[in-house]
Amino acid sequence: MPAPAPGADPGTGRIVLAATPIGNVGDASARLVELLGSSDIIAAEDTRRLHRLVQALGVEVSGRVISYHEHNEATKTGELLDQVRGGKNILMVSDAGMPAVSDPGFRLVEGAVEAGLTVTAVPGPSAVLTALALSGLPTDRFCFEGFLPRKSGERNSRLGELAGERRTMVFFEAPHRLEVMLRALHERFGADRRAAVCRELTKTYEEVIRGSLRELLEWAEGNEVRGEIAVVVGGAPEQDAAKPEDHVAAVNELVAQGIRLKEAVAAVADDLRISKRELYAAVLAAR
């Protein structure tokens, strides 16, 4: 067991964030199997999926299983922290991959850190890193953007902010929204930007489609896409990075929210590290 966090009572328990398989149950680590059988409490995003996992692994759970998800995190976190203070060891698992990464767990870690309680992790499967590695795109610098906003205005604003991003970007998307997402990427990043759609990673029907955004959009339009999706997009070429005209939509979105034009320009320009004067001129030229 790791040493207690600074300020923690040596008699307290600990929280362990454990990665679970993203598809192939054979990817479960020996440490995950051991902790599933020995932890005092297992906080699971979906108790039914946990039940299927332990059955597949042949594990007998001896501790108490509780549901811990986005809808009850706020109310359950304090209770779990009290259990740790009382000496209990808590295992936190999400449906797939690492808790707290586009999954429940952040509130629990945040609360534990503030309380000086011990938090550690059992690393393992990650859809983000698996998709990145299989994409064929640069992996030396990347960022994870999670799910894009569903509303078109908010989505376009976010993509406007990312149009000049030089790092490889990893997104998650639901299969029924993939075509809409790819069309938005095509419009904001350009038809020739390289990307990859990674579907059902580590599962029986794993598929990675690589090509330009134009090619991927055409593929999505002609197929009924199913399964869990990660989309990896190459960063902006140096000559295309952070062009002021690419970020007019982000400024207009802020103006539509009631922010004064000059303040909106300053906010977007500071965030993207581009010229306020050039961005202001681009906004006026577009009107």
Side-chain angles (χ1 to χ4, degrees):
M1 181 181 295
D9 184 336
T12 60
R14 63 173 180 169
I15 296 167
V16 182
L17 305 179
T20 54
I22 60 175
N24 191 322
V25 73
D27 293 333
S29 70
R31 288 181 64 199
L32 171 64
V33 171
E34 189 275 325
L35 287 166
L36 285 169
S38 64
S39 297
D40 298 310
I41 298 172
I42 300 176
E45 181 180 6
D46 186 328
T47 57
R48 294 167 299 181
R49 293 189 66 161
L50 173 66
H51 180 68
R52 290 196 293 270
L53 176 63
V54 297
Q55 276 194 321
L57 295 174
V59 176
E60 184 175 343
V61 174
S62 59
R64 181 162 65 99
V65 175
I66 70 165
S67 177
Y68 186 78
H69 47 72
E70 63 176 332
H71 301 298
N72 69 4
E73 277 184 292
T75 56
K76 289 281 188 178
T77 296
E79 174 188 332
L80 290 175
L81 295 178
D82 285 341
Q83 293 290 339
V84 176
R85 292 187 185 95
K88 301 296 184 182
N89 293 318
I90 295 177
L91 179 68
M92 171 76 224
V93 294
S94 58
D95 289 348
M98 178 60 72
V101 180
S102 269
D103 276 334
F106 169 72
R107 285 180 182 268
L108 188 59
V109 174
E110 181 183 44
V113 170
E114 290 178 355
L117 300 173
T118 301
V119 185
T120 186
V122 174
S126 164
V128 176
L129 296 181
T130 303
L132 179 68
L134 293 178
S135 69
L137 295 166
T139 60
D140 54 334
R141 297 181 66 230
F142 70 93
C143 59
F144 174 56
E145 288 294 326
F147 288 89
L148 287 171
R150 296 187 183 186
K151 295 182 179 179
S152 60
E154 295 176 3
R155 182 172 57 245
N156 288 335
S157 179
R158 175 77 59 80
L159 291 178
E161 295 170 0
L162 293 173
E165 175 60 64
R166 298 289 306 281
R167 296 171 293 179
T168 298
M169 293 164 278
V170 184
F171 301 88
F172 286 163
E173 192 51 277
H176 64 280
R177 292 199 300 269
L178 179 63
E179 183 180 332
V180 171
M181 177 201 190
L182 290 174
R183 182 170 289 107
L185 289 170
H186 179 280
E187 292 172 355
R188 302 299 297 173
F189 291 178
D192 297 327
R193 184 79 71 91
R194 307 302 294 178
V197 174
C198 305
R199 189 182 74 85
E200 294 289 87
L201 292 172
T202 78
K203 298 178 183 177
T204 301
Y205 297 105
E206 176 180 287
E207 185 176 26
V208 180
I209 310 298
R210 305 174 183 88
S212 67
L213 286 173
R214 179 193 296 110
E215 292 168 333
L216 294 179
L217 178 57
E218 291 173 352
W219 168 81
E221 289 172 337
N223 290 274
E224 183 181 355
V225 183
R226 297 180 180 180
E228 296 185 356
I229 304 289
V231 178
V232 187
V233 183
E238 184 173 0
Q239 65 271 22
D240 295 334
K243 289 183 179 178
E245 56 267 30
D246 291 335
H247 306 290
V248 170
V251 174
N252 289 335
E253 180 70 22
L254 293 178
V255 171
Q257 296 172 14
I259 298 175
R260 295 175 57 191
L261 177 59
K262 287 188 177 181
E263 294 174 354
V265 167
V268 173
D270 288 344
D271 186 51
L272 297 171
R273 298 181 181 179
I274 60 177
S275 166
K276 294 184 180 68
R277 180 179 58 80
E278 293 179 3
L279 180 58
Y280 188 78
V283 172
L284 294 182
R287 292 188 168 187

